[in-house]
Amino acid sequence: MRAGLALGLGIGLLLAWLLAARRRRRAVREVLFFPSRPCCTEELLAEAEGRDGRPAPCPCPLPRSDCSLSRLLRRLLAARRSLELCLFAFSSPELGRAVCVLHRRGVRVRVVTDSQYMALRGSQIGVLRLLGIQVRHNQDVAFMHHKFAIVDKKLLITGSLNWTMEAIHSNQENVVIMEDTEYVQPFLDEFERIWEEYNPSNYTFFSKEND
Amino acid sequence: MRAGLALGLGIGLLLAWLLAARRRRRAVREVLFFPSRPCCTEELLAEAEGRDGRPAPCPCPLPRSDCSLSRLLRRLLAARRSLELCLFAFSSPELGRAVCVLHRRGVRVRVVTDSQYMALRGSQIGVLRLLGIQVRHNQDVAFMHHKFAIVDKKLLITGSLNWTMEAIHSNQENVVIMEDTEYVQPFLDEFERIWEEYNPSNYTFFSKEND
């Protein structure tokens, strides 16, 4: 009886530990810091674009090793069903290409952005709209200052990083990537709330008082 | 033997579940969205400042209920040993008061900030320096764009929110609060790296080429 008890206890604890380890392994928790080390993302993007056959090797001299930008791109390119973007500023050509790839692949992309920044030179917002991607924006003087993305409703990418070349290649910035529902769900809810608030049917085209 | 095995297995699984539940309960995972609903934070701050006796009730008409700003303040005011701040812009008087309270209480406060924003009108950086709080800043044209705080080396507060009145009361912003070491440790390391990089002994007072 006592030997059985001890053996059972041991097996039970081992099973629970294995289950917990599996859960820990599965939940993505990653931190990226910027400025990103220089690295070539051309082959990564060309492969995702699926041009005819294997893409030609990029002739640029940048290293092929992973960097913060390539890791961010890989997380986005993993999307299969949906991508919600809530971005103050979006002018990075690499991130723009990744979003276009996803749209062409049939991923449902929705974008919320800031009205004062979306029209600046180099903004990717016009490119996305031309492709038919839905974009909504604020209408007041306060900033829509979020910088987050949600991949397939289960992976949250958020931080200080605006999706601009300056932020990626020059500034001190951070991005956290998380799968824990305690973080993902509130951001999903926030996205839907803002998406409805910025519904064009609510646009007034007048300055709003006391708003 | 078989009964003992089953009993032991059951007890083992129960113990493991209880341990896992305790760990889950203890790890803080919180999300705050802004703009913060208007709420009075005067009594919260006055109590933390520990002025003579019980602070007089604030006569302002704002509600006393919790809001994103008061929740952020409470997380900061819980610091007992150390506070690392890595902030692009810091001009909120309420958050400034909270940091001063902590410094006076003996908490070791260190601040990293952006050189172009720290001298702007309303910046709290000068106030903190006058009190003897150590502040370091970048020296190049790229932004030190982080917006994070680490309380007692174990609680990370990060997001899109600059610590300014506009961000808190007007913008669409987010803050995530987390205790998981997978997030806290990289940010602690990043803080120490930047703290050393911005050591005044490294200041050149000349424009740096190819940097």
Side-chain angles (χ1 to χ4, degrees):
Chain A
M1 172 79 180
R2 198 172 291 171
L5 194 69
L7 186 62
L9 200 62
I11 295 172
L13 285 173
L14 185 67
L15 272 177
W17 182 83
L18 285 173
L19 279 173
R22 191 162 161 260
R23 203 166 39 227
R24 271 200 302 276
R25 195 168 49 243
R26 276 169 45 187
V28 172
R29 291 181 190 162
E30 192 176 0
V31 180
L32 305 178
F33 290 110
F34 294 81
S36 179
R37 279 188 299 104
C39 79
C40 175
T41 55
E42 179 54 39
E43 288 171 25
L44 174 66
L45 285 163
E47 194 182 325
E49 281 163 348
R51 298 198 202 124
D52 310 334
R54 187 179 294 173
C58 176
C60 85
L62 293 175
R64 265 59 182 162
S65 54
D66 250 10
C67 62
S68 293
L69 175 58
S70 68
R71 288 167 74 183
L72 177 57
L73 283 167
R74 271 182 225 281
R75 290 289 180 198
L76 292 168
L77 290 168
R80 288 295 171 265
R81 287 179 298 283
S82 63
L83 180 69
E84 279 80 37
L85 296 178
C86 202
L87 296 170
F88 176 54
F90 186 0
S91 59
S92 155
E94 291 94 341
L95 290 164
R97 268 175 78 183
V99 174
C100 293
V101 166
L102 294 176
H103 171 72
R104 288 205 192 91
R105 200 195 275 167
V107 171
R108 186 192 181 200
V109 179
R110 291 184 292 167
V111 182
V112 163
T113 192
D114 185 80
S115 58
Q116 292 162 77
Y117 272 69
M118 69 180 182
L120 293 190
R121 207 168 112 154
S123 170
Q124 292 289 314
I125 298 297
V127 179
L128 304 185
R129 278 192 153 149
L130 276 176
L131 277 183
I133 292 174
Q134 289 183 74
V135 177
R136 295 184 178 180
H137 59 81
N138 59 345
Q139 221 206 351
D140 48 17
V141 290
F143 288 138
M144 201 312 295
H145 201 244
H146 287 301
K147 313 111 178 17
F148 70 82
I150 306 170
V151 175
D152 289 340
K153 315 255 188 231
K154 66 178 189 194
L155 188 84
L156 171 66
I157 299 171
T158 187
S160 69
L161 186 87
N162 290 311
W163 286 21
T164 67
M165 287 177 70
E166 297 73 25
I168 293 167
H169 298 295
S170 305
N171 293 352
Q172 305 287 338
E173 306 272 4
N174 66 76
V175 163
V176 288
I177 302 176
M178 40 183 108
E179 263 185 340
D180 300 288
T181 51
E182 296 100 314
Y183 298 120
V184 180
Q185 194 57 49
F187 276 83
L188 266 174
D189 295 345
E190 177 73 355
F191 183 89
E192 296 298 345
R193 188 192 67 72
I194 297 180
W195 186 251
E196 279 317 307
E197 186 183 330
Y198 296 173
N199 188 321
S201 68
N202 296 333
Y203 291 175
T204 60
F205 300 103
F206 296 104
S207 69
K208 289 186 280 184
E209 284 180 50
N210 306 318
D211 192 43
Chain B
M1 172 76 179
R2 198 173 291 172
L5 194 69
L7 185 63
L9 200 62
I11 295 173
L13 285 172
L14 185 68
L15 272 176
W17 182 82
L18 284 171
L19 279 174
R22 190 161 161 259
R23 199 164 44 224
R24 271 199 302 276
R25 199 171 42 244
R26 276 171 44 190
V28 173
R29 290 181 192 164
E30 193 177 0
V31 180
L32 305 177
F33 290 111
F34 294 81
S36 180
R37 280 188 297 104
C39 79
C40 175
T41 55
E42 179 54 39
E43 289 171 25
L44 173 66
L45 285 164
E47 193 182 326
E49 282 164 347
R51 296 198 204 123
D52 310 334
R54 187 179 297 175
C58 176
C60 85
L62 293 176
R64 266 56 182 166
S65 55
D66 250 10
C67 62
S68 293
L69 175 58
S70 68
R71 288 168 74 185
L72 177 57
L73 283 167
R74 271 183 227 281
R75 291 289 180 198
L76 292 170
L77 290 168
R80 289 295 170 265
R81 287 179 298 284
S82 63
L83 179 69
E84 278 80 36
L85 296 178
C86 203
L87 296 170
F88 177 54
F90 186 0
S91 59
S92 156
E94 292 94 341
L95 290 164
R97 267 174 79 184
V99 174
C100 292
V101 166
L102 295 176
H103 172 72
R104 287 204 193 91
R105 200 194 274 166
V107 171
R108 186 193 181 200
V109 180
R110 289 184 294 167
V111 182
V112 163
T113 192
D114 185 80
S115 58
Q116 291 161 78
Y117 272 70
M118 69 180 185
L120 293 191
R121 207 169 112 156
S123 169
Q124 293 289 314
I125 298 297
V127 179
L128 303 185
R129 278 191 154 151
L130 276 175
L131 277 182
I133 293 174
Q134 289 183 76
V135 177
R136 294 184 180 181
H137 58 83
N138 58 345
Q139 218 203 356
D140 48 17
V141 291
F143 288 140
M144 202 310 296
H145 200 244
H146 287 301
K147 311 107 177 24
F148 70 83
I150 306 169
V151 175
D152 289 340
K153 316 253 189 233
K154 67 178 188 196
L155 187 84
L156 171 66
I157 298 171
T158 187
S160 69
L161 185 88
N162 289 311
W163 286 21
T164 67
M165 288 177 70
E166 298 72 27
I168 293 166
H169 298 295
S170 305
N171 293 354
Q172 306 287 338
E173 305 272 5
N174 66 76
V175 162
V176 288
I177 303 176
M178 40 183 110
E179 263 185 340
D180 299 289
T181 50
E182 294 101 316
Y183 297 120
V184 180
Q185 194 58 49
F187 277 83
L188 265 174
D189 296 344
E190 178 73 354
F191 183 89
E192 296 298 344
R193 188 192 65 74
I194 296 180
W195 185 253
E196 279 317 308
E197 186 184 331
Y198 295 174
N199 188 321
S201 68
N202 295 334
Y203 291 174
T204 60
F205 299 102
F206 297 102
S207 69
K208 289 186 278 182
E209 281 179 53
N210 306 319
D211 193 43

